[in-house]
Coordinates of all heavy atoms in Angstrom, one line a residue:
M120 N -17.8 -13.5 16.7 CA -18.1 -14.0 15.4 C -17.4 -15.3 15.1 O -17.3 -15.8 14.0 CB -17.7 -13.0 14.3 CG -18.6 -11.8 14.3 SD -18.2 -10.6 12.9 CE -18.1 -11.5 11.5
N121 N -17.1 -16.0 16.2 CA -16.4 -17.3 16.0 C -17.3 -18.4 15.4 O -16.9 -19.3 14.7 CB -15.9 -17.8 17.4 CG -14.7 -17.0 17.9 OD1 -14.1 -16.3 17.1 ND2 -14.6 -16.9 19.2
N122 N -18.6 -18.3 15.7 CA -19.6 -19.3 15.2 C -20.1 -18.9 13.8 O -20.9 -19.7 13.3 CB -20.7 -19.4 16.2 CG -20.2 -19.9 17.5 OD1 -19.2 -20.6 17.6 ND2 -20.9 -19.5 18.6
V123 N -19.7 -17.8 13.2 CA -20.2 -17.4 11.9 C -19.3 -18.0 10.8 O -18.1 -18.0 10.9 CB -20.2 -15.9 11.8 CG1 -20.7 -15.4 10.4 CG2 -21.0 -15.2 12.9
P124 N -20.0 -18.6 9.8 CA -19.2 -19.2 8.7 C -18.3 -18.2 8.0 O -18.7 -17.0 7.9 CB -20.2 -19.8 7.8 CG -21.5 -19.9 8.6 CD -21.4 -18.9 9.7
N125 N -17.2 -18.6 7.6 CA -16.2 -17.7 6.9 C -16.9 -17.1 5.6 O -16.6 -15.9 5.3 CB -15.0 -18.5 6.5 CG -14.1 -18.7 7.7 OD1 -14.2 -18.1 8.7 ND2 -13.3 -19.8 7.6
S126 N -17.7 -17.8 4.9 CA -18.3 -17.2 3.7 C -19.2 -16.0 4.1 O -19.3 -15.0 3.4 CB -19.2 -18.3 3.0 OG -20.2 -18.8 3.8
V127 N -19.9 -16.1 5.2 CA -20.8 -15.0 5.7 C -19.9 -13.9 6.2 O -20.2 -12.7 5.8 CB -21.7 -15.5 6.8 CG1 -22.5 -14.3 7.4 CG2 -22.6 -16.6 6.4
K128 N -18.8 -14.2 6.9 CA -17.9 -13.1 7.3 C -17.3 -12.3 6.1 O -17.3 -11.1 6.1 CB -16.7 -13.7 8.1 CG -17.1 -14.2 9.5 CD -15.8 -14.8 10.1 CE -16.1 -15.5 11.4 NZ -14.9 -16.1 12.0
K129 N -17.0 -13.1 5.1 CA -16.4 -12.5 3.9 C -17.5 -11.5 3.2 O -17.1 -10.4 2.8 CB -16.0 -13.5 2.9 CG -15.4 -13.0 1.6 CD -14.9 -14.1 0.7 CE -14.3 -13.5 -0.6 NZ -13.9 -14.5 -1.5
K130 N -18.7 -12.0 3.1 CA -19.8 -11.1 2.5 C -20.0 -9.9 3.4 O -20.2 -8.8 2.8 CB -21.1 -11.9 2.4 CG -21.0 -12.9 1.3 CD -22.4 -13.6 1.2 CE -22.3 -14.7 0.1 NZ -23.6 -15.4 -0.1
I131 N -20.0 -10.0 4.7 CA -20.2 -8.9 5.5 C -19.0 -7.9 5.4 O -19.3 -6.7 5.2 CB -20.3 -9.3 7.0 CG1 -21.6 -10.1 7.3 CG2 -20.1 -8.1 8.0 CD1 -21.6 -10.7 8.6
K132 N -17.8 -8.3 5.3 CA -16.7 -7.4 5.2 C -16.6 -6.7 3.8 O -16.0 -5.7 3.7 CB -15.4 -8.2 5.4 CG -15.2 -8.6 6.9 CD -14.0 -9.3 7.2 CE -13.9 -9.6 8.7 NZ -12.6 -10.3 9.0
E133 N -17.3 -7.3 2.8 CA -17.3 -6.7 1.5 C -18.5 -5.7 1.4 O -18.5 -4.9 0.4 CB -17.5 -7.8 0.4 CG -16.3 -8.6 0.3 CD -16.5 -9.8 -0.7 OE1 -17.6 -10.0 -1.1 OE2 -15.5 -10.5 -0.9
H134 N -19.4 -5.6 2.3 CA -20.5 -4.7 2.3 C -20.1 -3.3 2.5 O -19.3 -3.0 3.3 CB -21.6 -5.2 3.3 CG -22.9 -4.5 3.1 ND1 -23.2 -3.3 3.6 CD2 -24.0 -5.0 2.5 CE1 -24.4 -3.0 3.2 NE2 -24.9 -4.0 2.6
P135 N -20.7 -2.4 1.7 CA -20.3 -0.9 1.9 C -20.5 -0.4 3.3 O -19.7 0.4 3.7 CB -21.2 -0.2 0.8 CG -21.6 -1.3 -0.1 CD -21.6 -2.6 0.6
E136 N -21.5 -0.8 3.9 CA -21.8 -0.3 5.3 C -20.7 -0.8 6.3 O -20.3 0.0 7.1 CB -23.1 -0.8 5.8 CG -24.3 -0.1 5.3 CD -24.4 1.4 5.8 OE1 -24.1 1.6 7.0 OE2 -24.7 2.2 5.0
Y137 N -20.2 -2.0 6.1 CA -19.1 -2.5 6.9 C -17.8 -1.6 6.7 O -17.2 -1.2 7.6 CB -18.8 -3.9 6.6 CG -17.7 -4.5 7.4 CD1 -17.9 -5.0 8.7 CD2 -16.4 -4.5 7.0 CE1 -16.9 -5.6 9.5 CE2 -15.3 -5.0 7.7 CZ -15.6 -5.6 9.0 OH -14.6 -6.0 9.7
K138 N -17.6 -1.4 5.4 CA -16.4 -0.6 5.1 C -16.5 0.8 5.6 O -15.5 1.4 6.1 CB -16.2 -0.6 3.6 CG -15.7 -2.0 3.1 CD -15.5 -2.0 1.6 CE -15.1 -3.4 1.1 NZ -14.9 -3.4 -0.3
R139 N -17.7 1.4 5.5 CA -17.9 2.7 6.1 C -17.7 2.8 7.6 O -17.1 3.6 8.1 CB -19.3 3.2 5.7 CG -19.5 4.7 5.9 CD -20.9 5.2 5.4 NE -21.9 4.3 5.0 CZ -22.2 4.1 3.7 NH1 -21.6 4.7 2.7 NH2 -23.2 3.2 3.4
G140 N -18.3 1.7 8.3 CA -18.1 1.6 9.7 C -16.6 1.4 10.1 O -16.2 2.0 11.1
Q141 N -15.9 0.7 9.3 CA -14.5 0.4 9.6 C -13.7 1.7 9.4 O -12.8 2.0 10.3 CB -14.0 -0.7 8.6 CG -12.7 -1.2 8.9 CD -12.3 -2.4 8.0 OE1 -12.7 -2.4 6.8 NE2 -11.5 -3.3 8.5
K142 N -14.0 2.5 8.4 CA -13.3 3.8 8.2 C -13.6 4.7 9.4 O -12.8 5.4 9.9 CB -13.8 4.4 6.9 CG -13.1 5.7 6.7 CD -13.5 6.3 5.3 CE -12.7 7.6 5.1 NZ -13.5 8.7 4.7
K143 N -14.9 4.7 9.8 CA -15.3 5.6 10.9 C -14.6 5.2 12.2 O -14.1 6.0 13.0 CB -16.8 5.5 11.1 CG -17.3 6.4 12.2 CD -17.2 7.9 11.9 CE -18.3 8.3 10.9 NZ -18.3 9.7 10.6
Q144 N -14.4 3.9 12.4 CA -13.7 3.4 13.6 C -12.3 3.8 13.6 O -11.7 4.2 14.6 CB -13.9 1.9 13.7 CG -13.3 1.3 15.0 CD -14.0 1.8 16.2 OE1 -15.2 1.9 16.2 NE2 -13.3 2.1 17.3
E145 N -11.6 3.7 12.4 CA -10.3 4.2 12.3 C -10.1 5.7 12.7 O -9.2 6.1 13.3 CB -9.7 3.9 10.9 CG -9.5 2.4 10.6 CD -9.3 2.2 9.1 OE1 -9.2 3.1 8.3 OE2 -9.2 1.0 8.8
E146 N -11.1 6.5 12.2 CA -11.1 7.9 12.5 C -11.2 8.1 14.0 O -10.6 9.0 14.6 CB -12.2 8.6 11.7 CG -11.9 8.6 10.2 CD -13.1 9.1 9.4 OE1 -14.3 9.1 10.0 OE2 -13.0 9.4 8.3
L147 N -12.1 7.4 14.6 CA -12.3 7.5 16.1 C -11.1 7.1 16.8 O -10.7 7.7 17.8 CB -13.5 6.7 16.5 CG -14.9 7.3 16.1 CD1 -16.0 6.3 16.4 CD2 -15.1 8.6 16.9
E148 N -10.4 6.0 16.4 CA -9.2 5.6 17.1 C -8.1 6.7 16.9 O -7.3 6.9 17.9 CB -8.7 4.3 16.5 CG -9.5 3.1 16.8 CD -9.6 2.8 18.3 OE1 -8.6 3.0 19.0 OE2 -10.7 2.4 18.7
K149 N -8.0 7.4 15.8 CA -7.1 8.4 15.6 C -7.4 9.6 16.6 O -6.5 10.2 17.2 CB -7.1 8.9 14.1 CG -6.2 10.0 13.8 CD -6.3 10.5 12.4 CE -5.5 11.7 12.1 NZ -5.7 12.2 10.7
A150 N -8.7 9.9 16.7 CA -9.1 11.0 17.6 C -8.8 10.6 19.0 O -8.3 11.4 19.8 CB -10.6 11.3 17.4
K151 N -9.0 9.4 19.4 CA -8.8 8.9 20.8 C -7.3 9.0 21.1 O -6.9 9.5 22.2 CB -9.2 7.4 20.9 CG -8.9 6.8 22.2 CD -9.3 5.3 22.2 CE -8.8 4.6 23.4 NZ -9.1 3.1 23.3
K152 N -6.4 8.7 20.1 CA -5.0 8.8 20.3 C -4.6 10.2 20.5 O -3.8 10.5 21.4 CB -4.3 8.2 19.1 CG -2.8 8.2 19.2 CD -2.1 7.6 18.0 CE -0.6 7.7 18.1 NZ 0.1 7.4 16.8
E153 N -5.1 11.1 19.7 CA -4.8 12.5 19.9 C -5.3 13.1 21.2 O -4.5 13.8 21.9 CB -5.5 13.3 18.8 CG -5.0 14.8 18.7 CD -5.6 15.6 17.6 OE1 -6.0 14.9 16.6 OE2 -5.6 16.8 17.6
I154 N -6.4 12.7 21.7 CA -6.9 13.1 23.0 C -6.0 12.6 24.1 O -5.7 13.3 25.0 CB -8.4 12.6 23.2 CG1 -9.3 13.4 22.3 CG2 -8.8 12.8 24.7 CD1 -10.7 12.8 22.2
K155 N -5.6 11.3 24.0 CA -4.7 10.8 25.0 C -3.3 11.5 25.0 O -2.7 11.7 26.1 CB -4.5 9.3 24.9 CG -5.8 8.5 25.3 CD -5.5 7.1 25.4 CE -6.8 6.4 25.8 NZ -6.7 5.7 27.0
E156 N -2.8 11.8 23.8 CA -1.6 12.5 23.7 C -1.6 13.9 24.4 O -0.6 14.4 24.9 CB -1.1 12.6 22.3 CG -0.7 11.4 21.6 CD -0.4 11.5 20.1 OE1 -0.7 12.5 19.5 OE2 0.0 10.5 19.6
K157 N -2.8 14.5 24.3 CA -2.9 15.9 24.9 C -3.2 15.8 26.4 O -3.3 16.8 27.1 CB -4.1 16.6 24.2 CG -3.8 17.0 22.8 CD -4.9 17.8 22.2 CE -4.6 18.2 20.8 NZ -3.5 19.1 20.6
N158 N -3.3 14.6 27.0 CA -3.5 14.4 28.4 C -4.8 15.1 28.9 O -4.7 15.7 30.0 CB -2.3 14.8 29.2 CG -1.8 13.7 30.0 OD1 -2.3 12.6 30.1 ND2 -0.7 14.0 30.8
L159 N -5.8 15.1 28.2 CA -7.0 15.8 28.6 C -7.8 15.0 29.7 O -7.8 13.8 29.7 CB -8.0 15.9 27.4 CG -7.4 16.7 26.2 CD1 -8.4 16.7 25.0 CD2 -7.0 18.1 26.6
K160 N -8.3 15.8 30.6 CA -9.1 15.2 31.7 C -10.6 15.3 31.3 O -11.1 16.4 31.0 CB -8.9 16.0 33.0 CG -7.5 16.2 33.4 CD -6.9 14.9 33.9 CE -5.5 15.1 34.4 NZ -4.6 14.2 33.9
I161 N -11.2 14.1 31.2 CA -12.6 14.1 30.7 C -13.5 13.9 31.9 O -13.9 12.8 32.2 CB -12.8 12.9 29.7 CG1 -11.7 13.0 28.6 CG2 -14.2 12.9 29.0 CD1 -11.7 14.2 27.7
D162 N -13.9 15.0 32.5 CA -14.9 14.9 33.6 C -15.5 16.4 33.7 O -15.0 17.3 33.0 CB -14.3 14.5 34.9 CG -13.1 15.3 35.4 OD1 -13.1 16.6 35.2 OD2 -12.2 14.8 36.0
W163 N -16.5 16.5 34.6 CA -17.2 17.8 34.6 C -16.3 18.9 35.2 O -16.6 20.1 35.0 CB -18.5 17.6 35.4 CG -19.4 16.8 34.6 CD1 -19.9 15.5 34.9 CD2 -20.1 17.2 33.4 NE1 -20.7 15.1 33.9 CE2 -20.9 16.1 33.0 CE3 -20.1 18.4 32.6 CZ2 -21.6 16.2 31.8 CZ3 -20.8 18.4 31.4 CH2 -21.6 17.3 31.1
W164 N -15.3 18.6 36.0 CA -14.4 19.6 36.5 C -13.5 20.2 35.5 O -12.9 21.3 35.7 CB -13.6 19.0 37.7 CG -14.5 18.6 38.8 CD1 -14.8 17.3 39.2 CD2 -15.2 19.4 39.7 NE1 -15.6 17.3 40.2 CE2 -16.0 18.5 40.6 CE3 -15.4 20.8 39.8 CZ2 -16.8 19.0 41.5 CZ3 -16.3 21.3 40.8 CH2 -16.9 20.4 41.7
H165 N -13.3 19.5 34.4 CA -12.4 20.0 33.3 C -13.2 20.2 32.0 O -12.9 19.6 31.0 CB -11.3 19.0 33.1 CG -10.5 18.8 34.3 ND1 -10.7 17.8 35.2 CD2 -9.4 19.4 34.7 CE1 -9.8 17.9 36.2 NE2 -9.0 18.9 35.9
I166 N -14.3 21.0 32.1 CA -15.2 21.1 30.9 C -14.5 21.7 29.7 O -14.8 21.3 28.6 CB -16.4 22.0 31.3 CG1 -17.5 21.9 30.3 CG2 -16.0 23.5 31.5 CD1 -18.2 20.6 30.3
G167 N -13.4 22.4 29.9 CA -12.7 22.9 28.7 C -12.0 21.7 28.0 O -12.0 21.7 26.7
D168 N -11.5 20.8 28.7 CA -10.9 19.6 28.1 C -12.0 18.7 27.4 O -11.7 18.2 26.4 CB -10.2 18.7 29.2 CG -8.9 19.4 29.6 OD1 -8.5 20.4 29.1 OD2 -8.2 18.8 30.5
V169 N -13.1 18.7 28.0 CA -14.2 17.9 27.4 C -14.6 18.5 26.0 O -14.7 17.9 25.0 CB -15.5 17.8 28.3 CG1 -16.7 17.2 27.6 CG2 -15.1 17.1 29.6
I170 N -14.7 19.9 26.0 CA -15.1 20.6 24.8 C -14.0 20.4 23.7 O -14.2 20.1 22.6 CB -15.3 22.0 25.1 CG1 -16.6 22.2 25.9 CG2 -15.4 22.9 23.8 CD1 -16.8 23.6 26.5
L171 N -12.7 20.4 24.2 CA -11.6 20.2 23.2 C -11.6 18.8 22.7 O -11.4 18.6 21.5 CB -10.3 20.5 23.9 CG -9.0 20.3 23.1 CD1 -9.1 21.2 21.8 CD2 -7.8 20.7 23.9
A172 N -11.9 17.8 23.6 CA -12.0 16.4 23.1 C -13.1 16.2 22.1 O -12.9 15.5 21.1 CB -12.2 15.5 24.3
I173 N -14.2 16.8 22.3 CA -15.3 16.8 21.4 C -14.9 17.4 20.0 O -15.2 16.8 19.0 CB -16.6 17.4 21.9 CG1 -17.2 16.6 23.1 CG2 -17.7 17.6 20.9 CD1 -18.3 17.2 23.9
A174 N -14.3 18.5 20.1 CA -13.8 19.2 18.9 C -12.8 18.3 18.1 O -12.9 18.3 16.9 CB -13.2 20.5 19.2
I175 N -12.0 17.6 18.8 CA -11.0 16.7 18.1 C -11.7 15.6 17.4 O -11.4 15.3 16.3 CB -10.0 16.1 19.2 CG1 -9.0 17.2 19.6 CG2 -9.2 15.0 18.6 CD1 -8.2 16.9 20.8
V176 N -12.7 15.0 18.1 CA -13.5 13.9 17.5 C -14.3 14.4 16.3 O -14.3 13.8 15.2 CB -14.4 13.3 18.5 CG1 -15.3 12.3 17.8 CG2 -13.6 12.6 19.6
V177 N -14.9 15.6 16.4 CA -15.6 16.1 15.3 C -14.7 16.4 14.1 O -15.0 16.1 13.0 CB -16.4 17.4 15.7 CG1 -16.9 18.2 14.5 CG2 -17.5 17.1 16.7
A178 N -13.6 17.0 14.4 CA -12.6 17.3 13.3 C -12.1 16.0 12.7 O -11.9 15.9 11.4 CB -11.5 18.1 13.8
A179 N -11.8 15.0 13.4 CA -11.2 13.8 12.9 C -12.2 12.9 12.1 O -11.8 12.3 11.2 CB -10.6 12.9 14.1
T180 N -13.5 13.0 12.5 CA -14.5 12.1 11.9 C -15.4 12.9 10.9 O -16.3 12.3 10.3 CB -15.3 11.4 12.9 OG1 -16.0 12.3 13.7 CG2 -14.4 10.5 13.8
A181 N -15.3 14.2 10.9 CA -16.2 15.0 10.1 C -17.6 14.7 10.5 O -18.5 14.7 9.6 CB -16.0 14.8 8.6
T182 N -17.9 14.6 11.8 CA -19.2 14.3 12.3 C -19.7 15.6 12.9 O -19.1 16.2 13.8 CB -19.1 13.2 13.4 OG1 -18.5 12.1 12.8 CG2 -20.5 12.9 13.9
F183 N -20.9 16.0 12.5 CA -21.5 17.2 13.0 C -22.9 16.9 13.5 O -23.7 16.2 12.9 CB -21.5 18.3 12.0 CG -20.2 18.6 11.5 CD1 -19.7 18.1 10.3 CD2 -19.4 19.5 12.2 CE1 -18.4 18.4 9.9 CE2 -18.1 19.8 11.8 CZ -17.6 19.3 10.6
F184 N -23.2 17.5 14.7 CA -24.6 17.4 15.3 C -25.0 16.0 15.5 O -26.2 15.7 15.4 CB -25.6 18.2 14.4 CG -25.1 19.6 14.2 CD1 -24.7 20.0 12.9 CD2 -25.1 20.5 15.2 CE1 -24.4 21.3 12.7 CE2 -24.7 21.8 15.1 CZ -24.3 22.2 13.8
F185 N -24.1 15.1 15.8 CA -24.4 13.7 16.2 C -25.4 13.0 15.3 O -26.5 12.7 15.8 CB -24.9 13.7 17.7 CG -23.9 14.3 18.6 CD1 -23.9 15.6 19.0 CD2 -22.9 13.5 19.1 CE1 -23.0 16.1 19.8 CE2 -21.9 14.0 20.0 CZ -22.0 15.3 20.3
P186 N -25.1 12.7 14.1 CA -26.1 12.0 13.3 C -26.4 10.6 13.9 O -25.6 10.1 14.7 CB -25.3 11.7 12.0 CG -24.3 12.8 11.9 CD -23.9 13.1 13.4
G187 N -27.6 10.1 13.7 CA -28.1 8.9 14.4 C -27.1 7.7 14.3 O -27.0 7.0 15.2
D188 N -26.5 7.5 13.1 CA -25.6 6.4 13.0 C -24.3 6.5 13.8 O -23.5 5.5 13.9 CB -25.3 6.1 11.5 CG -24.5 7.2 10.8 OD1 -24.6 8.3 11.3 OD2 -23.9 6.9 9.9
D189 N -24.0 7.7 14.3 CA -22.8 7.9 15.0 C -22.9 7.8 16.6 O -21.9 7.9 17.3 CB -22.1 9.2 14.6 CG -21.6 9.2 13.2 OD1 -21.3 8.1 12.8 OD2 -21.6 10.3 12.6
V190 N -24.1 7.7 17.0 CA -24.3 7.8 18.5 C -23.6 6.6 19.2 O -22.9 6.8 20.2 CB -25.8 7.7 18.8 CG1 -26.1 7.5 20.3 CG2 -26.5 8.9 18.3
G191 N -23.7 5.4 18.7 CA -22.9 4.3 19.3 C -21.4 4.5 19.2 O -20.7 4.2 20.2
A192 N -20.9 5.1 18.2 CA -19.5 5.3 18.1 C -19.1 6.4 19.1 O -18.0 6.2 19.7 CB -19.2 5.8 16.7
W193 N -19.9 7.4 19.3 CA -19.6 8.4 20.3 C -19.6 7.8 21.7 O -18.7 8.0 22.5 CB -20.6 9.5 20.3 CG -20.3 10.5 19.2 CD1 -20.8 10.5 18.0 CD2 -19.5 11.6 19.3 NE1 -20.3 11.6 17.3 CE2 -19.5 12.3 18.1 CE3 -18.7 12.2 20.3 CZ2 -18.8 13.4 17.8 CZ3 -17.9 13.3 20.1 CH2 -18.0 13.9 18.8
I194 N -20.5 6.9 22.0 CA -20.6 6.3 23.3 C -19.4 5.4 23.5 O -18.7 5.5 24.6 CB -21.9 5.5 23.4 CG1 -23.1 6.4 23.5 CG2 -21.8 4.6 24.7 CD1 -24.4 5.7 23.4
N195 N -19.0 4.7 22.5 CA -17.8 3.8 22.6 C -16.5 4.6 22.8 O -15.7 4.2 23.6 CB -17.6 2.9 21.4 CG -18.7 1.8 21.4 OD1 -19.2 1.4 22.4 ND2 -19.0 1.3 20.2
L196 N -16.4 5.7 22.1 CA -15.2 6.6 22.3 C -15.2 7.2 23.7 O -14.1 7.1 24.3 CB -15.2 7.7 21.2 CG -14.0 8.7 21.4 CD1 -12.7 8.0 21.0 CD2 -14.2 9.9 20.6
L197 N -16.3 7.6 24.2 CA -16.3 8.2 25.5 C -16.0 7.2 26.6 O -15.2 7.5 27.5 CB -17.7 8.9 25.8 CG -17.9 10.1 25.0 CD1 -19.4 10.6 25.2 CD2 -16.9 11.2 25.3
R198 N -16.5 6.0 26.4 CA -16.1 4.9 27.3 C -14.6 4.6 27.2 O -14.0 4.3 28.2 CB -16.9 3.6 27.0 CG -18.3 3.7 27.4 CD -19.0 2.4 27.2 NE -20.4 2.4 27.5 CZ -21.4 1.7 27.0 NH1 -21.1 0.9 26.0 NH2 -22.6 1.9 27.3
A199 N -14.1 4.6 26.0 CA -12.7 4.2 25.8 C -11.8 5.2 26.5 O -10.7 4.8 27.0 CB -12.4 4.1 24.3
I200 N -12.1 6.5 26.5 CA -11.3 7.5 27.1 C -11.6 7.7 28.6 O -11.1 8.6 29.2 CB -11.3 8.8 26.3 CG1 -12.7 9.4 26.2 CG2 -10.7 8.6 24.9 CD1 -12.7 10.8 25.6
G201 N -12.6 7.0 29.1 CA -12.8 7.0 30.5 C -13.9 8.0 31.0 O -14.0 8.3 32.1
A202 N -14.7 8.4 30.0 CA -15.7 9.4 30.4 C -17.1 8.7 30.7 O -18.0 9.4 31.0 CB -15.9 10.4 29.3
G203 N -17.2 7.4 30.5 CA -18.6 6.9 30.6 C -18.6 5.6 31.4 O -17.8 5.0 31.9

């Protein structure tokens, strides 16, 4: 966003969707931290850990049944914790 004028950045950051996305990202970061603290192994050999990691994310973000607007966030979280 380096090439975007500051006035446009300000309007974007004031938009309710931006604020909702920012809150969701904070919740995902909290879930990611909790998963890392538990030292969970995120691969098919440790399916119990995968299920626990998913439960942590669902609990932290109050996300159920993967609503369409959360798919990108899930992908980013899985990549961040090394599962993708």
Side-chain angles (χ1 to χ4, degrees):
M120 288 185 50
N121 292 335
N122 297 331
V123 178
N125 287 335
S126 60
V127 174
K128 289 180 190 178
K129 183 177 177 184
K130 286 182 183 179
I131 290 171
K132 289 181 180 182
E133 291 173 354
H134 194 277
E136 282 294 319
Y137 179 86
K138 291 179 181 181
R139 191 173 13 254
Q141 193 174 29
K142 182 179 182 226
K143 183 68 76 175
Q144 187 62 40
E145 289 170 3
E146 292 168 345
L147 286 171
E148 290 297 324
K149 181 180 172 185
K151 177 182 168 184
K152 181 180 176 188
E153 186 175 341
I154 289 168
K155 286 191 180 243
E156 286 174 355
K157 291 185 181 294
N158 234 1
L159 300 178
K160 305 289 186 230
I161 310 298
D162 59 33
W163 290 110
W164 297 108
H165 300 92
I166 195 69
D168 286 355
V169 172
I170 292 170
L171 181 56
I173 290 170
I175 290 169
V176 173
V177 168
T180 62
T182 303
F183 299 98
F184 305 110
F185 301 93
D188 64 333
D189 291 330
V190 172
W193 278 93
I194 291 169
N195 287 337
L196 177 70
L197 291 173
R198 283 183 184 152
I200 61 175

